[in-house]
Amino acid sequence: MRRSRFSEEQIISILKEHEAGIPVAELCRKHGVSDASIY
């Protein structure tokens, strides 16, 4: 089975930042993920 690049806690924190109103493009640059991964 493939190992996840981010821990569950990291994923939750990224999603909480998005809910707080930070644009997806900014989150992608900050955390190094593609915008498709967030959606």
Side-chain angles (χ1 to χ4, degrees):
M1 190 168 164
R2 188 169 173 238
R3 189 171 89 66
S4 179
R5 188 171 165 194
F6 294 97
S7 71
E8 193 171 315
E9 292 82 17
Q10 288 173 312
I11 294 169
I12 291 169
S13 69
I14 292 170
L15 292 175
K16 282 185 180 181
E17 286 181 45
H18 177 61
E19 288 177 356
I22 297 175
V24 173
E26 188 176 324
L27 285 174
C28 293
R29 283 192 301 273
K30 181 178 176 184
H31 297 287
V33 296
S34 71
D35 59 342
S37 297
I38 292 180
Y39 289 115

